[in-house]
Amino acid sequence: MAAIATADLLTAWERGSSQSGSRRLLTLLAAMYPEIPEQQLLKLPIGQRDGLALELREILFGSQLISLSVCPSCSERLELALDVADIKVASNGSTETPLTLEAEGFELRFRLPDSQDLMFIEAVSSIDAARRILLQRCLLSASRNGQLCALEQLPEQILDNVDAAMSAADPQADVQLDLSCPACQHSWLATFDIASFLWSEISAWAQRVLNEVHLLAKAYCWCEADILAMSPARRRFYLERVLQ
Ligand SMILES: [Zn+2]
């Protein structure tokens, strides 16, 4: 990964602002990891994509992060101090594809969901329908006692086994935080989604930088490109003088 220029990150944020959640994370990763072809990013299993996003988060903002959650029982707001290492799953899953599963006479071959699959189901409002479409796209073949069968012919238990096998092979795709409420002692599992978390942080960062550009351009009549080319420390120095 090349050194990150402020202007490049801002451009990626600007492009991603009008895109969907899955697409904007790819825009960001493509801009920050130009050595990885975009087609390869598109086909990365979701957990591997999220592993890359966590790595990027650490490079941009450090390893410490604060995540917010709300207790589903008493609505208490929780501030969680986490480290990227707490969220990063040591991958012991298989990277070999296709994956296979044999149970109850069924033989299945399938692949892991990737960003293209997520983009395909983004507009689907029903969770059940989205899961079905995802399975349809990822199932490469299914047979029972040598006879080919369609997705509709597979028992729900077999489909649950496919879900479980996908999670085991790509564990970073579904990060669950084990939380406990200090106010009412309720315990629950909360999903941590690095895609939306990182995007929120980059949006806040972009607005802060653009505000700095606005103040410096107004005070010194410098152009945007020159201000963005400065190091954050130098920008901050001039900004402090302006705000004195
Ligand atoms: Zn509570």
Side-chain angles (χ1 to χ4, degrees):
M1 181 174 169
I4 295 166
T6 304
D8 292 344
L9 189 53
L10 264 181
T11 301
W13 165 76
E14 191 178 3
R15 282 187 58 203
S17 293
S18 58
Q19 296 173 333
S20 66
S22 302
R23 169 54 75 180
R24 65 175 42 148
L25 181 59
L26 283 186
T27 297
L28 201 57
L29 292 176
M32 298 299 109
Y33 293 88
E35 69 278 16
I36 306 178
E38 212 156 328
Q39 272 303 313
Q40 196 178 323
L41 285 174
L42 266 174
K43 289 181 185 299
L44 272 185
I46 298 307
Q48 291 182 33
R49 178 205 69 170
D50 286 359
L52 211 51
L54 274 174
E55 181 185 295
L56 177 61
R57 198 283 172 185
E58 193 166 2
I59 292 167
L60 292 176
F61 303 119
S63 66
Q64 307 285 314
L65 57 92
I66 302 285
S67 178
L68 300 174
S69 190
V70 175
C71 171
S73 177
C74 75
S75 302
E76 173 86 356
R77 285 170 61 82
L78 269 71
E79 243 188 36
L80 313 164
L82 301 168
D83 193 285
V84 167
D86 301 333
I87 303 162
K88 199 147 195 174
V89 180
S91 180
N92 54 2
S94 163
T95 51
E96 279 182 30
T97 191
L99 299 168
T100 56
L101 187 134
E102 290 182 25
E104 297 174 34
F106 288 96
E107 282 184 36
L108 277 65
R109 288 169 63 248
F110 51 97
R111 62 174 178 79
L112 292 169
D114 58 26
S115 295
Q116 279 176 309
D117 300 314
L118 287 198
M119 283 183 242
F120 200 83
I121 59 167
E122 259 169 344
V124 181
S125 53
S126 150
I127 292 176
D128 282 346
R131 173 179 179 252
R132 208 83 194 166
I133 294 169
L134 210 57
L135 285 168
Q136 187 81 61
R137 286 174 63 86
C138 294
L139 188 65
L140 303 173
S141 69
S143 61
R144 186 176 202 189
N145 302 325
Q147 295 286 315
L148 287 177
C149 33
L151 181 70
E152 294 70 32
Q153 296 170 287
L154 299 175
E156 200 54 37
Q157 182 57 48
I158 295 290
L159 297 182
D160 288 346
N161 290 350
V162 172
D163 285 340
M166 283 178 171
S167 295
D170 195 27
Q172 190 72 63
D174 186 21
V175 175
Q176 302 279 335
L177 303 175
D178 197 355
L179 303 184
S180 177
C181 175
C184 75
Q185 277 71 54
H186 177 71
S187 296
W188 74 102
L189 289 175
T191 299
F192 179 81
D193 177 16
I194 182 62
S196 60
F197 185 88
L198 181 58
W199 186 259
S200 300
E201 283 191 316
I202 287 185
S203 294
W205 168 87
Q207 282 160 44
R208 199 167 59 244
V209 170
L210 290 179
N211 192 46
E212 290 177 10
V213 171
H214 162 72
L215 292 170
L216 293 178
K218 199 172 159 193
Y220 295 106
C221 298
W222 292 332
C223 73
E224 185 194 58
D226 288 346
I227 297 169
L228 291 180
M230 291 176 189
S231 69
R234 190 178 286 211
R235 266 204 316 272
R236 200 160 45 246
F237 176 84
Y238 288 123
L239 202 59
E240 280 169 8
R241 299 299 298 265
V242 168
L243 297 174
Q244 266 175 3

